[in-house]
């Protein structure tokens, strides 16, 4: 018995001893020795079971040919001359011996190899590990908001340091840099014309990150969001109390609920829209009327209702005492932007909108020589309609009568004609004006006041002052009313930007193919969660046109440093704005689900730092939102590093497309 026990344990002990002695040898030498040792043990077990001379001879031969570690361990004469002892090596012990030896070999292999790497698989289709700190230049002992990265914003291969900090201040959760520049606003000489509600961008452009509201949640999905949103996402109770009698918005538990009321919507927005249809039956929503501008929109219930009629409405209002009304609209999934008719032109092209609407929008149209109404005339399409629902239309007190008289004089001077005027059973009235389609009326005026404006330049409305003149009408086929929707989406002839129809058609086909084959099918984007979309470099609006049948809307941005194609976007029945991406947008934080850029972010670095642009993208996107980029690999790699420092997940497709997804990470709040 003692002999058998010694025989069972001795090979293992000697094998361990030999492995410790050979630890410094190359792994390539150890693996063949290990395999030969396994083969000889298998032969030993086979010999113990059969006990015949042929097997005995084969075993002896195997042991003789085995590598030195195992051959030296086992006493060959004693094993071969005592077959009974061989039988005691059971299958169980051989398996244990094999597994133990295998684990030792693997452990030795891992600890002695300097070149091998074992990448771990992704946990889900949307998950991408953060970039390695060595690739970003991040020190392992640094806090997240003080990450160091190798950036190439100016393509000079110099190392810059990016420090992510939270924006400071009591209102930092809703921080809009170009509208919340308190220092610039304090220095204004006048606020008479709403100068304090206009853009005053700080220098340099901030790189801070806006904090999240407490208990922020992913937004309520569309279309349910049109009627209710999470209160904690937009925790502003002031408008609930201020407009409680007009059914703008109510608070019910965890939600803000939008009943569809408004100052002029006493019986609800549905009744109000039907009232407009009765007043002027020529208005066919979603047919000849596709693109609408809603001035002083409140919470955008008018535009939200028209979405069901295939009408896309650009709702706008200033950031004023009507607390967060545009933020409410965007949280609901309704197109909206922050703007004001003050001293500067709206960031839209001339002759863009089919219809403009104002329901108690609190704009003095005859102020400053009629400049506010002349600005509406500029952006209204020839033959387009202006609907004005306000007390001067249907009340005859001294104040309202004076305003109405001034409005009659002003509209006559710019050749607008009244096509309808009605008072509803609710007591609410409206008047509908129509803009002329030719300049013949202008020439017949008894006085040339206001005069005709000189020819406008491209991107003329970016930081352009309001003008006290009548914008000239376009000539030729451009001034003709677009075809009925949806045919107008692909039938526009972009002579206004000197682009031939073949180029336009090719662009449309290109985007249709890219969106259907790549964006919708192959990129890691959950499109069912996407409602508010922005195209950072829209061109002719091909990206938006390719998505028109999906339950989302696209804000088409034409950068001021690119060709002016925004008029084509509106001619197609889409909406958009001019913008300079070296500055912040006129929108609240966390208002878009997806931002798209096609071969633009690499160009913008020639004018400003890419980190500034990424910080603005992070401000605008909701947690869980996407950045989809088509660009060169140089730009994509640079973006991947910056997004990694923000703790975004990223994926690259075909060395051409980057998908970044924003998370809930924010830098640590500084100690007070």
């Amino acid at each position: 018995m003692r002999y058998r026990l010694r025989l069972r344990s001795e090979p293992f002990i000697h094998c361990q001893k030999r492995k410790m002695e050979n630890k410094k040898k190359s792994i390539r030498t150890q693996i063949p020795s290990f395999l030969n040792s396994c083969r000889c043990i298998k032969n030993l077990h086979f010999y113990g079971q059969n006990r015949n001379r042929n097997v005995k001879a084969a075993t002896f031969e195997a042991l003789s040919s085995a590598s030195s570690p195992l051959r030296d361990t086992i006493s060959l004469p004693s094993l071969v001359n005592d077959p009974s002892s061989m039988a005691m090596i059971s299958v169980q012990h051989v398996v244990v011996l094999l597994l133990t030896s295998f684990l030792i070999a693997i452990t030795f292999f891992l600890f002695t190899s300097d070149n091998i790497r074992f990448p771990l698989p992704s946990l889900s289709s949307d998950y991408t590990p953060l970039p390695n700190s060595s690739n970003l230049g991040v020190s392992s002992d640094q806090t997240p908001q003080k990450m160091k990265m190798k950036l190439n914003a100016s393509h000079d291969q110099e190392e810059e340091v990016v420090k992510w900090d939270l924006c400071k201040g009591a209102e930092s959760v809703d921080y809009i840099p170009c509208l919340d520049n308190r220092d610039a606003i304090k220095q204004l000489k006048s606020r008479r014309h709403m100068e304090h509600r206009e853009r005053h961008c700080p220098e340099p452009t901030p790189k801070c990150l806006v904090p999240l509201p407490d208990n922020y949640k992913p937004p309520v999905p569309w279309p349910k969001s049109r009627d209710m949103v999470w209160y904690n996402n937009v925790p502003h109770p002031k408008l609930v109390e201020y407009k409680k009698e007009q059914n703008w918005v109510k608070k019910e538990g965890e939600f803000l609920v939008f009943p569809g009321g408004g100052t002029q919507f006493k019986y609800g927005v549905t009744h109000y829209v039907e009232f407009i249809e009765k007043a002027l039956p020529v208005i066919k929503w979603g047919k000849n009327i596709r693109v609408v501008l809603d001035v002083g929109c409140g919470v955008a219930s008018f535009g939200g209702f028209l979405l069901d009629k295939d009408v896309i409405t650009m709702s706008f209002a200033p950031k004023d005492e009507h607390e967060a009304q545009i933020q409410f609209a965007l949280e609901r999934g309704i197109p909206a932007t922050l703007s004001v008719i003050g001293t500067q032109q709206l960031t839209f092209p001339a002759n863009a909108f089919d219809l403009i609407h104002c329901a108690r929008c609190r704009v003095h149209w005859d102020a400053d020589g009629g400049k506010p109404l002349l600005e509406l005339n500029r952006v209204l399409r020839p033959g387009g309609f202006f609907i004005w629902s306000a007390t001067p239309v249907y009340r005859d007190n001294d104040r309202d009568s004076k305003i109405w008289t001034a409005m009659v004089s002003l509209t006559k001077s710019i050749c607008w004609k009244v096509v309808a005027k009605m008072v509803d059973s609710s007591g609410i009235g409206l008047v509908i004006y129509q803009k002329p389609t030719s300049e013949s009326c202008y020439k017949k005026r008894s006085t040339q006041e206001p005069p005709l404006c000189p020819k406008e330049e491209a991107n003329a409305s970016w930081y352009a002052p309001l003008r006290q003149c009548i914008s000239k009408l376009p000539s030729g086929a451009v001034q003709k009313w677009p075809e009925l929707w949806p045919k107008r989406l692909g039938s526009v002839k972009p002579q206004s930007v000197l682009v031939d129809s073949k180029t336009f058609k090719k662009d449309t086909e290109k985007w249709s193919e890219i969106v259907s084959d790549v964006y919708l099918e192959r990129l890691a984007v959950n499109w069912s969660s996407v409602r508010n979309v922005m195209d950072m470099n829209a061109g002719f609006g091909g990206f938006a046109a390719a998505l028109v049948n999906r339950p989302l809307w696209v804000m088409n941005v034409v950068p001021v440093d690119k060709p002016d194609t925004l008029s084509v976007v509106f001619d197609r029945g889409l909406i958009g704005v001019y913008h300079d991406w070296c500055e912040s947008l006129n929108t609240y934080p966390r208002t878009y689900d997806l931002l798209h850029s096609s071969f633009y972010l690499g160009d913008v670095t020639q004018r400003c730092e890419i980190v500034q642009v990424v910080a603005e993208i992070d401000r605008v996107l909701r947690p869980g939102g996407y950045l989809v980029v088509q660009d060169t690999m140089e730009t994509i790699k640079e973006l991947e590093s910056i997004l990694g420092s923000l703790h975004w997940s990223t994926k690259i497709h075909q060395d051409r497309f980057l998908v970044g997804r924003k998370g809930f990470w924010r830098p640590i709040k500084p100690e007070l």
Side-chain angles (χ1 to χ4, degrees):
M1 177 65 87
R2 290 178 60 191
Y3 177 76
R4 291 175 182 173
L5 289 173
R6 182 183 62 83
L7 184 62
R8 292 180 186 180
S9 58
E10 183 174 309
F12 178 78
I13 296 173
H14 281 279
C15 185
Q16 291 289 83
K17 182 177 180 181
R18 293 297 299 175
K19 283 192 176 290
M20 292 299 294
E21 293 175 353
N22 295 331
K23 186 174 182 181
K24 295 182 180 180
K25 289 186 177 181
S26 170
I27 190 63
R28 294 179 179 176
T29 303
Q30 292 299 318
I31 289 178
S33 300
F34 170 71
L35 294 176
N36 285 334
S37 302
C38 294
R39 186 178 65 201
C40 85
I41 293 176
K42 178 181 178 181
N43 289 339
L44 285 175
H45 175 64
F46 184 75
Y47 173 81
Q49 285 185 329
N50 291 277
R51 301 185 185 183
N52 59 63
R53 291 181 177 273
N54 293 334
V55 177
K56 179 178 179 180
T59 304
F60 183 84
E61 182 181 355
L63 287 168
S64 300
S65 62
S67 59
S68 58
L70 188 65
R71 188 179 67 235
D72 296 341
T73 303
I74 303 176
S75 178
L76 294 180
S78 59
L79 287 173
V80 174
N81 293 326
D82 190 359
S84 61
S85 64
M86 296 289 293
M88 301 304 297
I89 304 178
S90 65
V91 175
Q92 180 180 0
H93 292 85
V94 171
V95 171
V96 172
L97 180 60
L98 285 173
L99 290 175
T100 304
S101 301
F102 180 72
L103 290 174
I104 293 172
I106 291 296
T107 303
F108 183 83
F109 177 67
L110 290 173
F111 279 94
T112 57
S113 176
D114 294 328
N115 299 321
I116 193 165
R117 296 289 184 269
F118 292 91
L120 298 177
S122 297
L123 300 179
S124 68
S125 60
D126 290 331
Y127 171 80
T128 299
L130 292 177
N132 191 299
S133 60
S134 61
N135 297 331
L136 290 175
V138 181
S139 302
S140 59
D141 59 342
Q142 288 179 309
T143 56
Q145 68 269 30
K146 295 183 179 180
M147 291 186 170
K148 293 183 178 180
M149 304 173 359
K150 291 183 178 180
L151 300 179
N152 191 25
S154 59
H155 304 286
D156 55 3
Q157 300 298 328
E158 294 182 0
E159 182 175 305
E160 299 180 7
V161 177
V162 174
K163 180 182 178 182
W164 295 118
D165 290 319
L166 286 176
C167 299
K168 300 177 182 178
E171 300 178 356
S172 60
V173 170
D174 294 327
Y175 180 50
I176 306 171
C178 290
L179 297 181
D180 293 333
N181 188 354
R182 304 303 180 194
D183 293 338
I185 293 174
K186 289 178 182 178
Q187 297 176 10
L188 292 174
K189 296 180 180 180
S190 171
R191 300 191 180 191
R192 181 182 176 185
H193 300 296
M194 304 292 286
E195 291 91 343
H196 58 299
R197 304 297 185 192
E198 295 179 328
R199 293 174 61 85
H200 304 281
C201 297
E203 291 289 345
T205 301
K207 299 177 185 177
C208 61
L209 304 181
V210 294
L212 296 177
D214 293 337
N215 302 313
Y216 181 88
K217 301 178 182 179
V220 175
W222 179 265
K224 188 177 180 180
S225 63
R226 180 166 49 187
D227 301 322
M228 60 171 50
V229 301
W230 295 111
Y231 172 77
N232 286 333
N233 287 10
V234 280
H236 301 292
K238 185 176 179 180
L239 200 61
V240 176
E241 181 64 24
Y242 186 60
K243 295 291 185 179
K244 64 181 179 180
E245 301 298 329
Q246 299 175 6
N247 281 331
W248 280 33
V249 57
K250 298 179 179 180
K251 187 177 184 300
E252 296 182 2
E254 294 183 300
F255 297 97
L256 289 173
V257 178
F258 301 89
T263 306
Q264 300 296 96
F265 311 155
K266 288 189 175 181
Y267 295 161
V269 66
T270 302
H271 177 84
Y272 180 78
V273 171
E274 292 174 350
F275 172 44
I276 294 174
E277 294 170 346
K278 292 178 182 178
L280 191 63
V282 72
I283 293 177
K284 303 294 183 183
W285 303 113
K287 298 296 182 182
N288 65 337
I289 303 299
R290 162 64 182 176
V291 185
V292 172
L293 179 68
D294 190 12
V295 183
C297 62
V299 294
S301 292
F302 179 72
F305 177 82
L306 289 177
L307 286 168
D308 286 342
K309 294 182 174 289
D310 266 347
V311 173
I312 185 78
T313 303
M314 176 74 80
S315 302
F316 84 87
K319 186 179 182 182
D320 59 9
E321 64 272 12
H322 286 174
E323 188 181 34
Q325 53 189 327
I326 294 299
Q327 191 175 22
F328 287 163
L330 289 165
E331 186 72 15
R332 297 174 69 185
I334 301 172
T337 186
L338 285 162
S339 191
V340 64
I341 301 178
T343 67
Q344 298 175 359
Q345 294 182 15
L346 300 171
T347 56
F348 310 123
N351 311 304
F353 293 95
D354 305 333
L355 184 147
I356 299 177
H357 172 256
C358 161
R360 294 282 291 273
C361 54
R362 302 196 312 170
V363 178
H364 300 289
W365 298 115
D366 62 325
D368 200 14
K371 285 183 179 179
L373 193 68
L374 288 168
E375 175 62 5
L376 286 197
N377 181 76
R378 181 185 72 85
V379 299
L380 183 62
R381 184 179 299 281
F385 303 98
F386 173 55
I387 301 176
W388 186 37
S389 178
T391 55
V393 176
Y394 54 91
R395 292 180 182 173
D396 57 2
N397 57 59
D398 290 343
R399 177 181 176 276
D400 288 327
S401 295
K402 289 180 180 179
I403 295 174
W404 175 252
T405 301
M407 191 68 167
V408 169
S409 176
L410 180 58
T411 54
K412 184 179 179 180
S413 70
I414 61 176
C415 295
W416 283 14
K417 64 179 181 180
V418 176
V419 292
K421 184 180 180 183
M422 285 184 63
V423 178
D424 186 36
S425 59
S426 64
I428 298 298
L430 56 78
V431 60
I432 303 178
Y433 298 95
Q434 187 174 25
K435 179 179 175 178
T437 57
S438 72
E439 295 183 355
S440 60
C441 174
Y442 301 148
K443 298 175 182 178
K444 295 177 181 179
R445 293 178 299 168
S446 57
T447 61
Q448 293 299 308
E449 290 293 335
L452 292 178
C453 298
K455 186 177 180 180
E456 296 181 355
E457 301 296 330
N459 297 326
S461 63
W462 183 247
Y463 284 121
L466 290 181
R467 299 188 296 178
Q468 195 173 349
C469 58
I470 303 174
S471 298
K472 286 187 175 182
L473 299 179
S475 58
V478 178
Q479 82 171 65
K480 293 182 179 179
W481 197 267
E483 297 204 46
L484 300 182
W485 179 262
K487 191 175 181 180
R488 74 186 277 183
L489 184 66
S491 63
V492 63
K493 297 179 177 60
Q495 295 97 327
S496 58
V497 289
L498 302 178
V499 177
D500 60 273
S501 298
K502 290 183 179 179
T503 301
F504 174 76
K505 182 179 179 181
K506 185 177 180 180
D507 181 81
T508 301
E509 293 173 348
K510 177 195 74 173
W511 278 111
S512 178
E513 181 179 354
I514 291 176
V515 169
S516 61
D517 294 347
V518 180
Y519 287 7
L520 297 179
E521 297 295 333
R522 302 183 185 181
L523 299 187
V525 175
N526 178 15
W527 288 95
S528 64
S529 67
V530 174
R531 172 63 187 171
N532 301 355
V533 179
M534 180 174 288
D535 193 356
M536 300 176 66
N537 182 26
F540 298 131
F543 170 74
L547 292 168
V548 74
N549 291 323
R550 299 192 68 85
L552 53 80
W553 62 273
V554 180
M555 181 72 79
N556 295 277
V557 176
V558 173
V560 295
D561 59 323
K562 292 295 181 180
D564 184 1
T565 56
L566 193 54
S567 59
V568 178
V569 171
F570 278 91
D571 285 346
R572 301 186 74 170
L574 307 172
I575 59 173
V577 293
Y578 296 115
H579 183 61
D580 184 350
W581 281 107
C582 292
E583 300 177 0
S584 71
L585 279 160
N586 275 14
T587 191
Y588 283 90
R590 304 171 300 279
T591 46
Y592 283 85
D593 301 303
L594 186 146
L595 264 64
H596 170 254
S597 170
S598 178
F599 295 102
Y600 179 69
L601 292 178
D603 294 341
V604 78
T605 58
Q606 304 298 324
R607 302 175 53 245
C608 52
E609 294 183 31
I610 187 65
V611 176
Q612 296 175 352
V613 181
V614 173
E616 176 63 7
I617 292 172
D618 181 270
R619 188 185 72 85
V620 170
L621 269 181
R622 293 166 170 167
Y626 300 92
L627 171 66
V628 177
V629 177
Q630 180 183 197
D631 220 306
T632 63
M633 275 305 296
E634 180 183 5
T635 299
I636 286 175
K637 285 295 184 182
E638 186 174 12
L639 284 171
E640 185 183 33
S641 294
I642 301 174
L643 297 179
S645 73
L646 290 167
H647 292 227
W648 287 31
S649 62
T650 57
K651 279 194 174 183
I652 298 175
H653 178 67
Q654 294 181 344
D655 291 339
R656 182 179 171 185
F657 302 95
L658 170 70
V659 176
R661 190 174 190 188
K662 178 181 175 180
F664 281 77
W665 177 84
R666 296 287 86 178
I668 300 173
K669 292 183 180 180
E671 295 183 2
L672 299 178

